[in-house]
Short mmCIF file of all heavy atoms in Angstrom, two decimals:
data_model
loop_
_atom_site.label_atom_id
_atom_site.label_comp_id
_atom_site.label_asym_id
_atom_site.label_seq_id
_atom_site.Cartn_x
_atom_site.Cartn_y
_atom_site.Cartn_z
N MET L 1 -33.14 -32.90 42.09
CA MET L 1 -34.36 -33.26 41.45
C MET L 1 -34.76 -32.09 40.55
O MET L 1 -34.79 -30.93 40.93
CB MET L 1 -35.37 -33.47 42.59
CG MET L 1 -36.74 -33.96 41.96
SD MET L 1 -37.88 -34.48 43.24
CE MET L 1 -39.31 -34.73 42.24
N ASN L 2 -35.15 -32.42 39.36
CA ASN L 2 -35.60 -31.42 38.40
C ASN L 2 -36.93 -30.88 38.79
O ASN L 2 -37.82 -31.64 39.18
CB ASN L 2 -35.60 -32.01 37.06
CG ASN L 2 -34.19 -32.33 36.44
OD1 ASN L 2 -33.20 -31.72 36.87
ND2 ASN L 2 -34.17 -33.31 35.61
N ARG L 3 -37.13 -29.64 38.45
CA ARG L 3 -38.49 -29.08 38.72
C ARG L 3 -39.17 -29.01 37.37
O ARG L 3 -38.75 -28.30 36.41
CB ARG L 3 -38.33 -27.64 39.24
CG ARG L 3 -37.67 -27.62 40.71
CD ARG L 3 -37.52 -26.25 41.12
NE ARG L 3 -38.71 -25.46 41.14
CZ ARG L 3 -39.61 -25.46 42.15
NH1 ARG L 3 -39.30 -26.24 43.18
NH2 ARG L 3 -40.58 -24.72 42.15
N PRO L 4 -40.29 -29.86 37.17
CA PRO L 4 -40.84 -29.94 35.86
C PRO L 4 -41.35 -28.66 35.30
O PRO L 4 -41.53 -28.50 34.19
CB PRO L 4 -41.94 -31.00 36.11
CG PRO L 4 -42.20 -30.94 37.58
CD PRO L 4 -40.81 -30.70 38.15
N GLU L 5 -41.72 -27.71 36.18
CA GLU L 5 -42.29 -26.52 35.75
C GLU L 5 -41.20 -25.58 35.13
O GLU L 5 -41.56 -24.43 34.68
CB GLU L 5 -43.06 -25.79 36.85
CG GLU L 5 -42.24 -25.28 37.90
CD GLU L 5 -42.07 -26.24 39.00
OE1 GLU L 5 -42.00 -27.48 38.74
OE2 GLU L 5 -41.87 -25.88 40.23
N ARG L 6 -39.97 -26.00 35.19
CA ARG L 6 -38.87 -25.13 34.62
C ARG L 6 -38.06 -25.82 33.53
O ARG L 6 -36.96 -25.56 33.31
CB ARG L 6 -37.95 -24.74 35.86
CG ARG L 6 -38.55 -23.60 36.63
CD ARG L 6 -38.69 -22.32 35.89
NE ARG L 6 -39.36 -21.24 36.68
CZ ARG L 6 -40.60 -21.06 36.73
NH1 ARG L 6 -41.43 -21.89 35.94
NH2 ARG L 6 -41.19 -20.09 37.43
N GLN L 7 -38.77 -26.69 32.84
CA GLN L 7 -38.21 -27.36 31.67
C GLN L 7 -38.17 -26.41 30.55
O GLN L 7 -38.88 -25.44 30.50
CB GLN L 7 -38.88 -28.64 31.34
CG GLN L 7 -38.72 -29.73 32.45
CD GLN L 7 -39.53 -31.04 32.07
OE1 GLN L 7 -40.47 -30.89 31.29
NE2 GLN L 7 -39.20 -32.23 32.55
N SER L 8 -37.32 -26.77 29.53
CA SER L 8 -37.28 -25.92 28.31
C SER L 8 -38.61 -26.05 27.63
O SER L 8 -39.40 -26.95 27.94
CB SER L 8 -36.12 -26.32 27.49
OG SER L 8 -36.49 -27.59 26.80
N ASP L 9 -38.84 -25.09 26.70
CA ASP L 9 -40.08 -25.11 25.96
C ASP L 9 -40.31 -26.46 25.23
O ASP L 9 -41.38 -27.01 25.13
CB ASP L 9 -40.13 -23.98 24.97
CG ASP L 9 -40.33 -22.68 25.61
OD1 ASP L 9 -40.69 -22.63 26.77
OD2 ASP L 9 -39.99 -21.63 24.96
N GLU L 10 -39.25 -27.02 24.65
CA GLU L 10 -39.33 -28.23 23.90
C GLU L 10 -39.82 -29.39 24.84
O GLU L 10 -40.70 -30.08 24.46
CB GLU L 10 -37.96 -28.58 23.24
CG GLU L 10 -38.04 -29.80 22.38
CD GLU L 10 -36.70 -30.13 21.71
OE1 GLU L 10 -35.69 -29.61 22.14
OE2 GLU L 10 -36.79 -30.93 20.74
N THR L 11 -39.19 -29.49 25.88
CA THR L 11 -39.59 -30.60 26.86
C THR L 11 -41.01 -30.31 27.51
O THR L 11 -41.78 -31.22 27.96
CB THR L 11 -38.56 -31.01 27.89
OG1 THR L 11 -38.26 -29.72 28.56
CG2 THR L 11 -37.32 -31.52 27.26
N LEU L 12 -41.27 -29.00 27.64
CA LEU L 12 -42.55 -28.58 28.23
C LEU L 12 -43.75 -28.98 27.43
O LEU L 12 -44.74 -29.42 27.92
CB LEU L 12 -42.55 -27.06 28.41
CG LEU L 12 -43.60 -26.56 29.30
CD1 LEU L 12 -43.42 -26.91 30.73
CD2 LEU L 12 -43.65 -25.05 29.28
N THR L 13 -43.61 -28.89 26.07
CA THR L 13 -44.65 -29.28 25.23
C THR L 13 -44.80 -30.81 25.05
O THR L 13 -45.86 -31.29 24.73
CB THR L 13 -44.48 -28.59 23.80
OG1 THR L 13 -43.25 -28.88 23.30
CG2 THR L 13 -44.67 -27.11 23.91
N GLN L 14 -43.71 -31.57 25.17
CA GLN L 14 -43.78 -32.98 25.04
C GLN L 14 -43.00 -33.65 26.16
O GLN L 14 -41.99 -34.21 25.94
CB GLN L 14 -43.18 -33.40 23.70
CG GLN L 14 -44.05 -32.91 22.51
CD GLN L 14 -44.12 -33.98 21.42
OE1 GLN L 14 -43.35 -34.83 21.32
NE2 GLN L 14 -45.22 -33.89 20.64
N PRO L 15 -43.47 -33.50 27.37
CA PRO L 15 -42.79 -34.11 28.45
C PRO L 15 -43.06 -35.64 28.40
O PRO L 15 -44.02 -36.18 28.04
CB PRO L 15 -43.53 -33.55 29.72
CG PRO L 15 -44.91 -33.09 29.24
CD PRO L 15 -44.65 -32.76 27.81
N ARG L 16 -41.89 -36.30 28.72
CA ARG L 16 -41.96 -37.81 28.65
C ARG L 16 -42.36 -38.41 29.98
O ARG L 16 -43.12 -39.25 30.11
CB ARG L 16 -40.56 -38.35 28.29
CG ARG L 16 -40.14 -38.06 26.92
CD ARG L 16 -40.96 -38.67 25.84
NE ARG L 16 -40.34 -38.56 24.51
CZ ARG L 16 -40.55 -37.49 23.72
NH1 ARG L 16 -41.45 -36.56 24.13
NH2 ARG L 16 -40.07 -37.47 22.52
N MET L 17 -41.80 -37.81 30.97
CA MET L 17 -42.18 -38.36 32.39
C MET L 17 -41.87 -37.21 33.35
O MET L 17 -40.94 -36.50 33.28
CB MET L 17 -41.33 -39.53 32.71
CG MET L 17 -41.69 -40.24 34.01
SD MET L 17 -40.93 -41.88 34.15
CE MET L 17 -39.19 -41.51 34.33
N VAL L 18 -42.77 -37.04 34.32
CA VAL L 18 -42.65 -36.02 35.25
C VAL L 18 -42.95 -36.52 36.69
O VAL L 18 -43.44 -37.68 36.84
CB VAL L 18 -43.61 -34.86 34.91
CG1 VAL L 18 -43.35 -34.28 33.60
CG2 VAL L 18 -45.12 -35.36 35.07
N ALA L 19 -42.62 -35.75 37.64
CA ALA L 19 -42.98 -35.97 39.06
C ALA L 19 -44.16 -35.13 39.48
O ALA L 19 -44.23 -34.04 39.16
CB ALA L 19 -41.72 -35.79 39.92
N CYS L 20 -45.05 -35.75 40.30
CA CYS L 20 -46.17 -35.08 40.80
C CYS L 20 -45.68 -33.86 41.75
O CYS L 20 -44.77 -34.05 42.54
CB CYS L 20 -47.01 -36.01 41.64
SG CYS L 20 -48.38 -35.17 42.48
N ILE L 21 -46.14 -32.70 41.50
CA ILE L 21 -45.79 -31.55 42.24
C ILE L 21 -46.20 -31.68 43.74
O ILE L 21 -45.61 -31.06 44.56
CB ILE L 21 -46.28 -30.28 41.55
CG1 ILE L 21 -45.54 -29.04 42.15
CG2 ILE L 21 -47.84 -30.13 41.87
CD1 ILE L 21 -45.86 -27.73 41.34
N GLU L 22 -47.18 -32.46 44.04
CA GLU L 22 -47.72 -32.59 45.41
C GLU L 22 -46.96 -33.73 46.13
O GLU L 22 -46.37 -33.46 47.22
CB GLU L 22 -49.20 -32.93 45.39
CG GLU L 22 -50.05 -31.68 45.00
CD GLU L 22 -50.01 -30.67 46.12
OE1 GLU L 22 -50.07 -31.16 47.35
OE2 GLU L 22 -50.03 -29.51 45.90
N CYS L 23 -46.96 -34.90 45.60
CA CYS L 23 -46.41 -36.06 46.34
C CYS L 23 -45.09 -36.53 45.83
O CYS L 23 -44.34 -37.29 46.49
CB CYS L 23 -47.41 -37.23 46.47
SG CYS L 23 -47.70 -38.07 44.89
N GLY L 24 -44.64 -36.11 44.62
CA GLY L 24 -43.43 -36.47 44.09
C GLY L 24 -43.33 -37.77 43.35
O GLY L 24 -42.27 -38.14 42.92
N CYS L 25 -44.44 -38.52 43.27
CA CYS L 25 -44.41 -39.71 42.55
C CYS L 25 -44.21 -39.57 41.06
O CYS L 25 -44.56 -38.46 40.59
CB CYS L 25 -45.62 -40.55 42.89
SG CYS L 25 -47.13 -39.97 42.14
N LEU L 26 -43.68 -40.50 40.41
CA LEU L 26 -43.40 -40.32 38.94
C LEU L 26 -44.52 -40.82 38.11
O LEU L 26 -45.29 -41.73 38.49
CB LEU L 26 -42.16 -41.13 38.53
CG LEU L 26 -40.84 -40.63 39.22
CD1 LEU L 26 -39.68 -41.52 38.84
CD2 LEU L 26 -40.63 -39.16 38.75
N SER L 27 -44.77 -40.13 37.01
CA SER L 27 -45.90 -40.36 36.08
C SER L 27 -45.71 -41.77 35.39
O SER L 27 -46.70 -42.34 34.92
CB SER L 27 -46.04 -39.31 35.11
OG SER L 27 -44.92 -39.29 34.14
N GLY L 28 -44.48 -42.17 35.22
CA GLY L 28 -44.29 -43.19 34.24
C GLY L 28 -44.56 -42.78 32.87
O GLY L 28 -44.60 -41.58 32.66
N LEU L 29 -44.60 -43.68 31.85
CA LEU L 29 -44.75 -43.26 30.48
C LEU L 29 -46.24 -43.23 30.08
O LEU L 29 -46.60 -42.73 29.01
CB LEU L 29 -43.95 -44.19 29.56
CG LEU L 29 -42.48 -44.21 29.87
CD1 LEU L 29 -41.72 -45.13 28.85
CD2 LEU L 29 -41.90 -42.71 29.56
N ALA L 30 -47.14 -43.79 30.92
CA ALA L 30 -48.52 -43.88 30.55
C ALA L 30 -49.32 -42.68 30.76
O ALA L 30 -50.27 -42.34 30.00
CB ALA L 30 -49.21 -45.11 31.17
N TRP L 31 -49.04 -41.88 31.76
CA TRP L 31 -49.82 -40.77 32.08
C TRP L 31 -51.14 -40.99 32.40
O TRP L 31 -51.95 -39.98 32.27
CB TRP L 31 -49.61 -39.73 30.91
CG TRP L 31 -48.26 -39.02 30.87
CD1 TRP L 31 -47.09 -39.61 30.41
CD2 TRP L 31 -47.93 -37.72 31.28
NE1 TRP L 31 -46.09 -38.67 30.54
CE2 TRP L 31 -46.55 -37.48 31.04
CE3 TRP L 31 -48.69 -36.67 31.85
CZ2 TRP L 31 -45.90 -36.33 31.31
CZ3 TRP L 31 -48.00 -35.55 32.12
CH2 TRP L 31 -46.69 -35.30 31.87
N ALA L 32 -51.53 -42.10 32.79
CA ALA L 32 -52.94 -42.45 33.01
C ALA L 32 -53.47 -41.61 34.16
O ALA L 32 -52.95 -41.71 35.34
CB ALA L 32 -53.11 -43.86 33.27
N GLY L 33 -54.36 -40.79 33.89
CA GLY L 33 -55.09 -39.95 34.86
C GLY L 33 -54.40 -38.72 35.40
O GLY L 33 -54.87 -37.99 36.24
N TRP L 34 -53.16 -38.43 34.83
CA TRP L 34 -52.41 -37.29 35.25
C TRP L 34 -53.04 -36.05 34.69
O TRP L 34 -53.62 -36.14 33.55
CB TRP L 34 -50.92 -37.52 34.76
CG TRP L 34 -50.26 -38.31 35.72
CD1 TRP L 34 -50.47 -39.64 35.96
CD2 TRP L 34 -49.15 -37.99 36.57
NE1 TRP L 34 -49.52 -40.15 36.97
CE2 TRP L 34 -48.73 -39.12 37.35
CE3 TRP L 34 -48.52 -36.72 36.86
CZ2 TRP L 34 -47.70 -39.03 38.26
CZ3 TRP L 34 -47.51 -36.72 37.89
CH2 TRP L 34 -47.06 -37.84 38.48
N ARG L 35 -52.82 -34.96 35.34
CA ARG L 35 -53.24 -33.65 34.82
C ARG L 35 -52.10 -32.64 34.90
O ARG L 35 -51.30 -32.71 35.82
CB ARG L 35 -54.38 -33.12 35.65
CG ARG L 35 -55.63 -34.08 35.74
CD ARG L 35 -56.74 -33.40 36.39
NE ARG L 35 -57.72 -34.37 36.80
CZ ARG L 35 -58.86 -34.05 37.48
NH1 ARG L 35 -59.13 -32.79 37.73
NH2 ARG L 35 -59.73 -34.96 37.90
N ALA L 36 -52.14 -31.73 34.00
CA ALA L 36 -51.13 -30.63 33.97
C ALA L 36 -51.82 -29.26 34.06
O ALA L 36 -52.85 -29.11 33.34
CB ALA L 36 -50.24 -30.69 32.71
N TYR L 37 -51.32 -28.44 34.86
CA TYR L 37 -52.01 -27.10 34.98
C TYR L 37 -50.90 -26.06 34.78
O TYR L 37 -49.79 -26.21 35.31
CB TYR L 37 -52.60 -26.97 36.35
CG TYR L 37 -53.79 -27.81 36.48
CD1 TYR L 37 -53.71 -29.20 37.05
CD2 TYR L 37 -55.12 -27.36 36.17
CE1 TYR L 37 -54.73 -29.93 37.18
CE2 TYR L 37 -56.14 -28.20 36.34
CZ TYR L 37 -56.08 -29.47 36.86
OH TYR L 37 -57.13 -30.31 36.91
N ARG L 38 -51.29 -24.91 34.22
CA ARG L 38 -50.36 -23.77 34.18
C ARG L 38 -50.30 -23.11 35.50
O ARG L 38 -51.33 -22.85 36.18
CB ARG L 38 -50.84 -22.84 33.08
CG ARG L 38 -50.62 -23.36 31.67
CD ARG L 38 -50.69 -22.19 30.66
NE ARG L 38 -49.58 -21.28 30.86
CZ ARG L 38 -49.29 -20.31 29.99
NH1 ARG L 38 -49.87 -20.22 28.92
NH2 ARG L 38 -48.34 -19.50 30.23
N VAL L 39 -49.16 -22.79 35.94
CA VAL L 39 -48.84 -22.31 37.27
C VAL L 39 -48.15 -20.95 37.20
O VAL L 39 -47.89 -20.32 38.19
CB VAL L 39 -48.15 -23.25 38.23
CG1 VAL L 39 -49.04 -24.47 38.42
CG2 VAL L 39 -46.81 -23.65 37.64
N ASP L 40 -47.78 -20.46 35.96
CA ASP L 40 -47.03 -19.31 35.95
C ASP L 40 -47.95 -18.11 36.01
O ASP L 40 -49.11 -18.21 35.72
CB ASP L 40 -46.25 -19.26 34.57
CG ASP L 40 -47.17 -19.35 33.42
OD1 ASP L 40 -47.99 -20.24 33.32
OD2 ASP L 40 -47.14 -18.47 32.55
N ASP L 41 -47.43 -17.01 36.52
CA ASP L 41 -48.21 -15.75 36.58
C ASP L 41 -47.64 -14.78 35.61
O ASP L 41 -46.51 -14.32 35.80
CB ASP L 41 -47.98 -15.27 38.06
CG ASP L 41 -48.99 -13.95 38.31
OD1 ASP L 41 -49.30 -13.39 37.19
OD2 ASP L 41 -49.26 -13.72 39.35
N PRO L 42 -48.37 -14.47 34.54
CA PRO L 42 -47.77 -13.58 33.48
C PRO L 42 -47.39 -12.21 33.99
O PRO L 42 -46.68 -11.44 33.37
CB PRO L 42 -48.94 -13.53 32.49
CG PRO L 42 -50.16 -14.05 33.06
CD PRO L 42 -49.67 -14.93 34.25
N GLU L 43 -47.94 -11.82 35.18
CA GLU L 43 -47.57 -10.52 35.78
C GLU L 43 -46.10 -10.54 36.24
O GLU L 43 -45.39 -9.50 36.13
CB GLU L 43 -48.48 -10.25 37.01
CG GLU L 43 -49.88 -9.85 36.61
CD GLU L 43 -49.98 -8.41 36.10
OE1 GLU L 43 -49.17 -7.56 36.50
OE2 GLU L 43 -50.81 -8.16 35.22
N TYR L 44 -45.62 -11.73 36.56
CA TYR L 44 -44.25 -11.77 37.20
C TYR L 44 -43.40 -12.74 36.48
O TYR L 44 -42.13 -12.63 36.66
CB TYR L 44 -44.34 -12.25 38.57
CG TYR L 44 -45.30 -11.34 39.46
CD1 TYR L 44 -46.54 -11.71 39.80
CD2 TYR L 44 -44.76 -10.03 39.93
CE1 TYR L 44 -47.35 -10.85 40.54
CE2 TYR L 44 -45.57 -9.29 40.65
CZ TYR L 44 -46.90 -9.59 40.97
OH TYR L 44 -47.63 -8.82 41.61
N ASP L 45 -43.89 -13.62 35.63
CA ASP L 45 -43.03 -14.62 34.97
C ASP L 45 -43.49 -14.87 33.58
O ASP L 45 -44.58 -15.36 33.28
CB ASP L 45 -43.21 -15.94 35.76
CG ASP L 45 -42.07 -16.91 35.31
OD1 ASP L 45 -41.51 -16.69 34.26
OD2 ASP L 45 -42.04 -18.07 35.86
N ALA L 46 -42.70 -14.42 32.67
CA ALA L 46 -43.06 -14.48 31.17
C ALA L 46 -43.00 -15.86 30.66
O ALA L 46 -43.48 -16.25 29.69
CB ALA L 46 -42.21 -13.59 30.46
N ARG L 47 -42.27 -16.71 31.43
CA ARG L 47 -41.96 -18.06 30.85
C ARG L 47 -43.20 -19.00 31.28
O ARG L 47 -43.63 -18.94 32.44
CB ARG L 47 -40.64 -18.66 31.38
CG ARG L 47 -39.50 -17.91 31.00
CD ARG L 47 -38.26 -18.48 31.57
NE ARG L 47 -38.10 -19.85 31.24
CZ ARG L 47 -37.16 -20.69 31.82
NH1 ARG L 47 -36.38 -20.23 32.71
NH2 ARG L 47 -37.06 -21.96 31.41
N PRO L 48 -43.64 -19.76 30.36
CA PRO L 48 -44.71 -20.76 30.63
C PRO L 48 -44.26 -21.79 31.60
O PRO L 48 -43.14 -22.25 31.60
CB PRO L 48 -45.18 -21.36 29.32
CG PRO L 48 -44.02 -21.20 28.45
CD PRO L 48 -43.27 -19.93 28.91
N ALA L 49 -45.11 -22.14 32.52
CA ALA L 49 -44.80 -23.12 33.54
C ALA L 49 -45.98 -24.07 33.80
O ALA L 49 -47.08 -23.59 33.77
CB ALA L 49 -44.32 -22.55 34.84
N LEU L 50 -45.71 -25.35 33.90
CA LEU L 50 -46.75 -26.31 34.21
C LEU L 50 -46.40 -27.02 35.51
O LEU L 50 -45.37 -27.24 35.86
CB LEU L 50 -46.73 -27.37 33.08
CG LEU L 50 -47.24 -26.86 31.65
CD1 LEU L 50 -47.20 -27.99 30.69
CD2 LEU L 50 -48.70 -26.34 31.80
N ALA L 51 -47.56 -27.36 36.13
CA ALA L 51 -47.48 -28.24 37.37
C ALA L 51 -48.15 -29.41 37.07
O ALA L 51 -49.29 -29.50 36.45
CB ALA L 51 -48.07 -27.56 38.58
N PHE L 52 -47.59 -30.70 37.37
CA PHE L 52 -48.24 -31.90 37.11
C PHE L 52 -48.79 -32.60 38.35
O PHE L 52 -48.04 -32.50 39.43
CB PHE L 52 -47.18 -32.86 36.41
CG PHE L 52 -46.73 -32.33 35.13
CD1 PHE L 52 -45.60 -31.56 35.01
CD2 PHE L 52 -47.51 -32.51 33.93
CE1 PHE L 52 -45.24 -31.06 33.76
CE2 PHE L 52 -47.06 -31.94 32.75
CZ PHE L 52 -45.94 -31.28 32.66
N TYR L 53 -49.87 -33.23 38.35
CA TYR L 53 -50.54 -33.86 39.37
C TYR L 53 -50.88 -35.20 39.02
O TYR L 53 -51.49 -35.54 37.96
CB TYR L 53 -51.81 -33.12 39.82
CG TYR L 53 -51.64 -31.78 40.38
CD1 TYR L 53 -51.52 -30.63 39.50
CD2 TYR L 53 -51.56 -31.54 41.76
CE1 TYR L 53 -51.31 -29.40 40.01
CE2 TYR L 53 -51.42 -30.29 42.23
CZ TYR L 53 -51.29 -29.22 41.40
OH TYR L 53 -51.12 -27.91 41.91
N CYS L 54 -50.48 -36.13 40.01
CA CYS L 54 -50.92 -37.61 39.76
C CYS L 54 -52.40 -37.73 40.01
O CYS L 54 -53.01 -36.78 40.51
CB CYS L 54 -50.11 -38.50 40.72
SG CYS L 54 -50.58 -38.33 42.46
N PRO L 55 -52.97 -38.85 39.56
CA PRO L 55 -54.49 -38.97 39.65
C PRO L 55 -54.98 -38.77 41.14
O PRO L 55 -55.98 -38.02 41.26
CB PRO L 55 -54.71 -40.39 39.29
CG PRO L 55 -53.57 -40.76 38.34
CD PRO L 55 -52.39 -39.94 38.88
N GLY L 56 -54.28 -39.25 42.08
CA GLY L 56 -54.76 -39.13 43.47
C GLY L 56 -54.69 -37.62 43.95
O GLY L 56 -55.61 -37.12 44.58
N CYS L 57 -53.61 -36.96 43.64
CA CYS L 57 -53.49 -35.55 44.01
C CYS L 57 -54.32 -34.65 43.25
O CYS L 57 -54.93 -33.67 43.76
CB CYS L 57 -51.98 -35.07 43.94
SG CYS L 57 -50.94 -35.88 45.14
N ALA L 58 -54.48 -34.96 41.91
CA ALA L 58 -55.45 -34.09 41.15
C ALA L 58 -56.85 -34.23 41.70
O ALA L 58 -57.58 -33.18 41.74
CB ALA L 58 -55.37 -34.60 39.66
N ALA L 59 -57.34 -35.30 42.08
CA ALA L 59 -58.63 -35.51 42.60
C ALA L 59 -58.76 -34.76 43.98
O ALA L 59 -59.70 -34.15 44.30
CB ALA L 59 -58.95 -37.01 42.84
N ALA L 60 -57.68 -34.87 44.76
CA ALA L 60 -57.69 -34.17 46.01
C ALA L 60 -57.70 -32.66 45.89
O ALA L 60 -58.35 -31.90 46.68
CB ALA L 60 -56.44 -34.59 46.83
N GLU L 61 -56.95 -32.14 44.86
CA GLU L 61 -56.81 -30.71 44.66
C GLU L 61 -57.93 -30.10 43.98
O GLU L 61 -58.43 -29.03 44.18
CB GLU L 61 -55.50 -30.38 43.92
CG GLU L 61 -54.27 -30.69 44.71
CD GLU L 61 -54.03 -29.61 45.77
OE1 GLU L 61 -54.30 -28.40 45.48
OE2 GLU L 61 -53.71 -29.94 46.93
N PHE L 62 -58.43 -30.81 42.92
CA PHE L 62 -59.36 -30.26 41.96
C PHE L 62 -60.69 -31.00 41.88
O PHE L 62 -61.65 -30.57 41.13
CB PHE L 62 -58.74 -30.16 40.59
CG PHE L 62 -57.46 -29.49 40.52
CD1 PHE L 62 -56.26 -30.25 40.49
CD2 PHE L 62 -57.40 -28.09 40.66
CE1 PHE L 62 -55.02 -29.58 40.45
CE2 PHE L 62 -56.13 -27.48 40.69
CZ PHE L 62 -55.00 -28.23 40.55
N GLY L 63 -60.84 -32.09 42.59
CA GLY L 63 -62.07 -32.90 42.51
C GLY L 63 -62.07 -33.85 41.37
O GLY L 63 -61.32 -33.87 40.49
N HIS L 64 -62.99 -34.77 41.45
CA HIS L 64 -63.24 -35.81 40.39
C HIS L 64 -63.87 -35.19 39.19
O HIS L 64 -64.68 -34.26 39.32
CB HIS L 64 -63.89 -36.97 40.93
CG HIS L 64 -63.19 -37.68 41.98
ND1 HIS L 64 -62.19 -38.68 41.73
CD2 HIS L 64 -63.28 -37.57 43.37
CE1 HIS L 64 -61.74 -39.08 42.90
NE2 HIS L 64 -62.32 -38.48 43.90
N ASP L 65 -63.66 -35.78 38.07
CA ASP L 65 -64.37 -35.38 36.81
C ASP L 65 -65.81 -35.71 36.98
O ASP L 65 -66.23 -36.70 37.53
CB ASP L 65 -63.80 -36.06 35.65
CG ASP L 65 -62.39 -35.65 35.30
OD1 ASP L 65 -62.12 -34.46 35.71
OD2 ASP L 65 -61.64 -36.35 34.78
ZN1 ZN O 101 -49.29 -36.89 43.71
#
């Protein structure tokens, strides 16, 4: 299984479909309600990294809008 936070820069900026980092469900192509967060630590990792959360996990982790 690919880790979405370690895609190349090209796919990182325009991801087509990703898996939720929490529950592993797939975004599909619509991305409705999905959120992406930077998870890299510039102290230890110079490469940008993103973590993707499905609507349910995003609400559980970060609260509702
Ligand atoms: Zn999820």
Side-chain angles (χ1 to χ4, degrees):
M1 183 172 174
N2 292 330
R3 295 173 59 81
E5 69 270 30
R6 285 292 176 269
Q7 291 176 338
S8 72
D9 289 343
E10 185 177 15
T11 54
L12 191 67
T13 53
Q14 293 222 335
R16 293 294 190 273
M17 188 166 70
V18 297
C20 175
I21 197 171
E22 285 291 321
C23 69
C25 70
L26 294 175
S27 67
L29 297 178
W31 284 77
W34 280 66
R35 303 187 198 180
Y37 292 89
R38 287 198 63 168
V39 294
D40 59 308
D41 186 338
E43 287 284 330
Y44 302 101
D45 187 355
R47 298 178 58 191
L50 292 176
F52 297 95
Y53 292 84
C54 71
C57 291
E61 290 287 320
F62 306 105
H64 295 274
D65 291 333

